Amino acid sequence: MELTLAHYLILSAVIFALGMTGVLIRKNLIVMFMSLELMLNAVNINLAAFSNYLQDMTGQIFIVFVMAVAAAEAAVGLALIISLFRNKQTINAEELNIMRG
Amino acid sequence: MTPQLFNDIITVYPEILMTIFALVLIVIDVVAGDKMKASVGYFGIAFVALVALLSPAGPFIGFNNMLIWDNFSYVFFLIFAMAYTLTTLGSIDYLRDKNMLKGEIYIVMFFSLIGMMFMVSANDLTIFYVGLETMAISMYVLAGFNKHCLKSNEAGVKYFLMGAFSSGLFLYGLTFIYGLTGSLTYTDIAAAIQGNTGSLGIKFGLLLMLVGFAFKISAVPFHMWAPDVYTGSPTPIAGFMTVAPKAAAFGALIRFTWVAIAPASEQWTLFFTILAVLTMTYGNLVALAQDNVKRMLAYSAIAHAGYMLIGLVTMTPEGFRAITIYMLIYSFMNIGAFTIIGLLKNKGMIDDERIESFAGLSKKNPLASLAMLLFMFSLAGIPPLAGFVGKFYIFIAAIKAEIYWLAIVGVLNSALACYYYMRVTIFMYFKEPEYETELTLKAPSFVATFIAAVLVVLVGFFPSFFVNLVSSLTV
């Protein structure tokens, strides 16, 4: 069996759906963050597949940008989670509820 | 130097200047002593003003159509510059009082400005995305800047999660656009979807991308992060966040809808209409029930995004110009209001921003309460203040495009909004205070409030001069 564009698209759709569900239903901030990375990786698979299909380099260049931005985002995001943990001793998303109304 | 290279450099010249100045700001922060950190902010203002003066005029398109510097980018740069200037001046006293006056806050804000400029000037999704993230990551840092305050931590984490989630959706949609059109440049996308508007894949991709945009402008039903983030962030920063990132997202959205999806724009007016109606109505209805003024202004910021979406629904140059005018007016009136809220302190254990804290303010500090009155009336859209001018042009654009019912919904909504804005002024002028509060306007915050208040009045009384200025720049 030969791998076609559709296979890659289905794979990335599955990974994206997993990541999205993870962000929406999991309660642990670190796990939610990992799910976000999963979403971005699904994006990268899509870009690489399309780039190969179209024989066009733009998609692969874009992957580098996505990865660089994801790294910067990880640095800031983890720092924010740590500063939250210092004050609250928890990283459970359900307990982030001091603001109401 | 070849003409091509020269053209490219001119196109990116304002951003290059800003980047150099941002690096200089870091050096200034290192040199400045602990007592002198406000000077970083003052230098930042000077640099922003310098870039505004040195920016080249006229449209330049460079880097294979990827980047544009035209009057539209310039007007939006002016909005960001205005937001930066007023926030910096208005924040110095607040930050010093909370013992967190550091140079970083002005540097990070400056870097976010660069991201916003790239967002608005982008004619290619790659540049737009990198600009978006430059802005967004700076904003996460600013939201969580008060690291000893739990509210600020929560705001930062929530903003980060929802922001990253929305960029994930945006990117996934983008991949489909790339795959089906074969390009990321706006003009090429437009050419590719010209005869192909019925394609399901393109519709799906555009839907996800527009949802990503809707998150950034906090349109209902993608607004759930906004009230908490605006309430939790340090007050002057919250003022900045309700204005500048929203302006950048609107600017980029206008350019995207105007250029890239112009052939398919008919399909998306319904989407924008639903967003506009929901956003206005929900924002205003929930704001009615708020007792915390900061949170009330957070919901009012959502409602104002709804008014601006009306301009987008029209899909005409008038509508887009109206959004630009509205955004410029909104920038100074909202930041002015947030400056006053940030300065108001009470000596009890209750939140500083409660509406009861405003009781009797007119006797304690008549100047500040007069300014607050002007901002509230202007936000409510009462003539002859600036907010009215903004709303007027939005509704006129809707009427010219023959979408009468949407204009009526907008007018009804602004009538509804009067209630909660007036409530603040009633507390200031007619209620007796229940507990002790204090508000002192020191020099920097006085200047910020003064500039904002004078602009609110001037633009309100002489709208034609101001509007002509903006329209001569945007066309």
Side-chain angles (χ1 to χ4, degrees):
Chain A
M1 190 184 78
E2 205 189 325
L3 282 176
T4 61
L5 177 66
H7 290 98
Y8 288 106
L9 293 188
I10 291 168
L11 172 70
S12 89
V14 169
I15 294 179
F16 188 80
L18 280 176
M20 209 166 117
T21 332
V23 177
L24 294 175
I25 68 170
R26 293 302 289 262
K27 299 296 168 224
N28 187 311
L29 286 176
I30 302 284
V31 178
M32 287 166 84
F33 181 59
M34 281 156 57
S35 307
L36 281 174
E37 295 294 312
L38 217 53
M39 285 167 72
L40 291 181
N41 285 336
V43 168
N44 284 348
I45 294 174
N46 245 355
L47 283 170
F50 277 127
S51 170
N52 184 45
Y53 175 74
L54 298 166
Q55 293 295 313
D56 175 65
M57 281 303 288
T58 320
Q60 293 179 39
I61 295 165
F62 199 91
I63 292 179
V64 180
F65 282 109
V66 174
M67 290 199 295
V69 166
E73 220 162 39
V76 168
L78 290 175
L80 284 169
I81 293 177
I82 287 173
S83 73
L84 175 76
F85 184 76
R86 284 210 180 118
N87 285 337
K88 195 154 186 171
Q89 313 299 325
T90 176
I91 48 167
N92 186 337
E94 280 202 325
E95 290 174 40
L96 298 185
N97 53 8
I98 52 170
M99 286 169 282
R100 276 286 155 95
Chain B
M1 209 193 292
T2 62
Q4 181 63 44
L5 181 65
F6 182 72
N7 187 49
D8 286 353
I9 288 177
I10 286 273
T11 312
V12 75
Y13 170 68
E15 282 93 345
I16 290 180
L17 265 186
M18 286 290 281
T19 314
I20 293 171
F21 283 146
L23 298 175
V24 173
L25 270 190
I26 296 179
V27 177
I28 291 174
D29 182 34
V30 175
V31 175
D34 276 343
K35 294 255 186 290
M36 301 287 289
K37 290 300 182 195
S39 62
V40 181
Y42 296 136
F43 271 104
I45 295 174
F47 289 156
V48 165
L50 211 57
V51 176
L53 290 176
L54 293 179
S55 293
F60 294 100
I61 304 175
F63 299 99
N64 291 322
N65 278 334
M66 286 172 84
L67 196 70
I68 293 181
W69 181 263
D70 55 7
N71 288 329
F72 185 72
S73 320
Y74 185 67
V75 171
F76 271 87
F77 172 67
L78 289 185
I79 297 176
F80 309 144
M82 168 89 75
Y84 183 87
T85 309
L86 292 180
T87 312
T88 304
L89 289 172
S91 67
I92 287 169
D93 291 337
Y94 176 89
L95 296 175
R96 189 173 281 144
D97 185 58
K98 299 258 191 247
N99 208 4
M100 51 189 229
L101 182 60
K102 296 191 186 109
E104 290 98 301
I105 203 158
Y106 303 116
I107 297 168
V108 175
M109 215 148 74
F110 206 88
F111 273 110
S112 81
L113 244 56
I114 300 171
M116 293 172 201
M117 289 167 76
F118 273 118
M119 277 171 80
V120 179
S121 311
N123 196 36
D124 183 279
L125 287 169
T126 321
I127 293 192
F128 168 73
Y129 174 66
V130 176
L132 174 78
E133 292 296 333
T134 312
M135 176 206 83
I137 291 174
S138 315
M139 283 297 137
Y140 308 149
V141 176
L142 289 177
F145 196 81
N146 192 357
K147 60 184 176 190
H148 302 297
C149 166
L150 194 53
K151 269 187 177 179
S152 181
N153 297 149
E154 264 197 43
V157 169
K158 274 181 188 164
Y159 200 11
F160 163 70
L161 280 176
M162 291 323 294
F165 181 68
S166 69
S167 0
L169 288 179
F170 175 83
L171 282 177
Y172 195 64
L174 180 148
T175 59
F176 282 94
I177 297 297
Y178 169 62
L180 294 167
T181 64
S183 173
L184 288 170
T185 309
Y186 290 0
T187 30
D188 294 350
I189 293 175
I193 62 178
Q194 182 73 56
N196 200 10
T197 46
S199 157
L200 210 61
I202 287 180
K203 275 187 191 164
F204 177 69
L206 283 180
L207 177 69
L208 282 180
M209 289 178 73
L210 292 177
V211 166
F213 272 115
F215 265 103
K216 295 288 172 214
I217 57 175
S218 69
V220 179
F222 311 105
H223 67 285
M224 54 300 213
W225 57 273
D228 284 0
V229 170
Y230 296 154
T231 318
S233 316
T235 310
I237 299 301
F240 184 71
M241 284 198 297
T242 52
V243 172
K246 207 171 264 190
F250 262 109
L253 186 54
I254 290 172
R255 207 186 288 274
F256 185 70
T257 40
W258 188 237
V259 181
I261 61 173
S265 60
E266 296 260 305
Q267 294 169 351
W268 295 101
T269 42
L270 181 67
F271 177 80
F272 287 128
T273 314
I274 295 172
L275 278 190
V277 173
L278 282 180
T279 310
M280 281 187 291
T281 320
Y282 179 87
N284 280 326
L285 284 179
V286 182
L288 288 178
Q290 300 304 320
D291 280 329
N292 181 322
V293 180
K294 196 170 162 191
R295 202 171 174 84
M296 181 205 91
L297 279 185
Y299 279 106
S300 107
I302 295 178
H304 282 280
Y307 301 133
M308 284 180 256
L309 276 169
I310 296 181
L312 208 59
V313 172
T314 64
M315 295 274 181
T316 55
E318 276 95 33
F320 299 150
R321 205 173 300 142
I323 296 180
T324 319
I325 293 169
Y326 199 105
M327 206 66 240
L328 192 51
I329 290 171
Y330 185 61
S331 70
F332 50 77
M333 65 186 181
N334 210 37
I335 291 180
F338 270 95
T339 306
I340 302 268
I341 296 176
L343 292 173
L344 186 65
K345 288 176 296 200
N346 61 43
K347 289 161 189 160
M349 296 299 288
I350 332 165
D351 284 347
D352 283 345
E353 298 99 11
R354 285 218 318 179
I355 193 159
E356 285 85 1
S357 306
F358 281 88
L361 190 66
S362 61
K363 295 193 190 76
K364 252 172 286 171
N365 198 329
L367 269 182
S369 49
L370 179 67
M372 191 68 178
L373 175 98
L374 285 174
F375 298 141
M376 286 295 130
F377 275 44
S378 174
L379 281 166
I382 291 172
L385 295 174
F388 172 74
V389 179
K391 283 211 175 78
F392 178 77
Y393 280 95
I394 289 274
F395 297 146
I396 286 291
I399 289 167
K400 271 190 189 155
E402 301 189 339
I403 320 173
Y404 301 110
W405 69 274
L406 198 57
I408 293 172
V409 173
V411 171
L412 288 179
N413 258 298
S414 26
L416 187 66
C418 282
Y419 171 75
Y420 58 83
Y421 292 125
M422 290 308 111
R423 232 177 118 212
V424 178
T425 53
I426 288 171
F427 265 91
M428 281 193 307
Y429 281 89
F430 301 115
K431 296 264 169 138
E432 290 303 314
E434 291 164 26
Y435 50 84
E436 240 184 288
T437 54
E438 68 169 276
L439 196 162
T440 37
L441 280 177
K442 292 200 189 102
S445 37
F446 178 79
V447 174
T449 323
F450 183 75
I451 296 175
V454 165
L455 280 174
V456 163
V457 174
L458 275 187
V459 173
F461 277 98
F462 306 103
S464 53
F465 172 74
F466 172 77
V467 170
N468 288 341
L469 187 77
V470 174
S471 351
S472 71
L473 287 173
T474 35
V475 178

